[in-house]
Amino acid sequence: MKIYSEQEFGYVVSSITGFTDQVGGELLAKALIGATTPRYANVRLGIKGTQALNLLDSTPSFQAGACSLSTSGTTTFTQRNITTCPETLFESLCYKQLYPTYQSMLMNAGQTSESVPFEQIIGDLKVKQIQQRIEQKLWQATTAGGDCFDGLKN
């Protein structure tokens, strides 16, 4: 039996099409919902590109409680478009880079490891950093500064 080295082995992915990273979506949703401001807003997940929001507004005109009333006040239906701002966070983490460091003491014995014991800590840190980024952008983003929208302070 022939033993293959890393250089002789490769994944064949040509038959895999239309992949949707549902785990990454959960991470993003968790990061978005966990930020402070979105807890008090109507968060719309799953929007791609531009989407029209249907808005309803009313200006009531209260009157004295007499027997004859006159028509007053307005109810208005409008739309406002929101556009997503695509950003990417991509990081390649290779467990083999940890072998010459103290972290290798925390890993399973042997030269192959499918996981590291601090995966959850890394994931939680990324969620917190995404939450901070979302919070900062919601309040401080400016189109003049290169953002695709103006934050709440602007």
Side-chain angles (χ1 to χ4, degrees), residues 91-104 107:
E91 187 175 355
S92 178
L93 303 174
C94 177
Y95 65 89
K96 291 180 182 182
Q97 292 174 317
L98 301 176
Y99 286 159
T101 70
Y102 74 91
Q103 288 96 344
S104 66
M107 298 169 65

Side-chain angles (χ1 to χ4, degrees), residues 83-115:
T83 303
T84 59
C85 302
E87 286 189 333
T88 301
L89 176 63
F90 180 76
E91 187 175 355
S92 178
L93 303 174
C94 177
Y95 65 89
K96 291 180 182 182
Q97 292 174 317
L98 301 176
Y99 286 159
T101 70
Y102 74 91
Q103 288 96 344
S104 66
M105 300 293 287
L106 304 171
M107 298 169 65
N108 295 334
Q111 287 294 308
T112 58
S113 180
E114 295 180 6
S115 65

Side-chain angles (χ1 to χ4, degrees), residues 36 38 40 57 61 65 98 104-105 125 144 151 153:
T36 302
Y40 303 102
D57 192 15
S61 179
L98 301 176
S104 66
M105 300 293 287
L125 176 62
K153 281 187 175 179

Side-chain angles (χ1 to χ4, degrees), residues 28-100:
L28 180 58
K30 182 178 177 183
L32 180 63
I33 301 303
T36 302
T37 302
R39 285 189 220 154
Y40 303 102
N42 183 1
V43 176
R44 299 286 199 125
L45 299 175
I47 295 174
K48 294 181 174 121
T50 300
Q51 184 179 65
L53 298 178
N54 297 317
L55 305 173
L56 171 64
D57 192 15
S58 178
T59 307
S61 179
F62 297 96
Q63 301 174 28
C67 290
S68 66
L69 300 174
S70 59
T71 304
S72 61
T74 59
T75 299
T76 309
F77 295 94
T78 59
Q79 287 187 324
R80 180 168 181 174
N81 287 337
I82 58 171
T83 303
T84 59
C85 302
E87 286 189 333
T88 301
L89 176 63
F90 180 76
E91 187 175 355
S92 178
L93 303 174
C94 177
Y95 65 89
K96 291 180 182 182
Q97 292 174 317
L98 301 176
Y99 286 159

Side-chain angles (χ1 to χ4, degrees), residues 99-146:
Y99 286 159
T101 70
Y102 74 91
Q103 288 96 344
S104 66
M105 300 293 287
L106 304 171
M107 298 169 65
N108 295 334
Q111 287 294 308
T112 58
S113 180
E114 295 180 6
S115 65
V116 292
F118 30 85
E119 287 174 344
Q120 186 64 43
I121 295 169
I122 293 170
D124 290 345
L125 176 62
K126 296 298 179 192
V127 167
K128 188 172 193 162
Q129 291 168 330
I130 292 169
Q131 289 171 344
Q132 290 170 345
R133 172 84 171 172
I134 290 169
E135 193 71 20
Q136 182 266 331
K137 289 291 181 183
L138 285 174
W139 286 96
Q140 299 174 6
T142 62
T143 53

